[in-house]
Amino acid sequence: GVGVCGVGFAIARHQIDSKRVGPAWKSAAAKYAGQPDAQARLETSIRHGSANKGGKVPMPAQTHVSEDEARQLAAWILTLNK
């Protein structure tokens, strides 16, 4: 679960059920539900940042997050749509 988020940026910007600076994780999970490339797209957004996906504030690149951490966090986010 959130233990994967030893990556503090996620806790500061996102919540599970409600929008904060970024969208709620459940909203992200619903957005990517059923998309075959959802895992890879979320990993890319986490590591390289994104704009115009969840609101007016772009998500900066999280270069300190390892590929493995991004993979774990993306996988966990996707479970929130179940």
Side-chain angles (χ1 to χ4, degrees):
V2 179
V4 152
C5 302
V7 214
F9 81 92
I11 302 293
R13 295 181 175 266
H14 300 275
Q15 293 183 334
I16 292 175
D17 292 314
S18 59
K19 182 172 175 50
R20 197 169 192 168
V21 174
W25 281 324
K26 283 187 175 183
S27 295
K31 176 181 177 178
Y32 287 98
Q35 296 182 26
D37 61 346
Q39 175 82 27
R41 290 178 63 196
L42 275 172
E43 289 174 30
T44 298
S45 290
I46 292 165
R47 296 229 2 170
H48 301 287
S50 63
N52 302 317
K53 288 187 177 180
K56 295 179 182 177
V57 179
M59 186 173 107
Q62 304 299 316
T63 56
H64 63 284
V65 175
S66 72
E67 288 182 23
D68 188 53
E69 289 170 327
R71 185 173 16 264
Q72 290 178 52
L73 181 55
W76 176 75
I77 290 168
L78 291 172
T79 69
L80 298 175
N81 193 51
K82 298 178 180 171

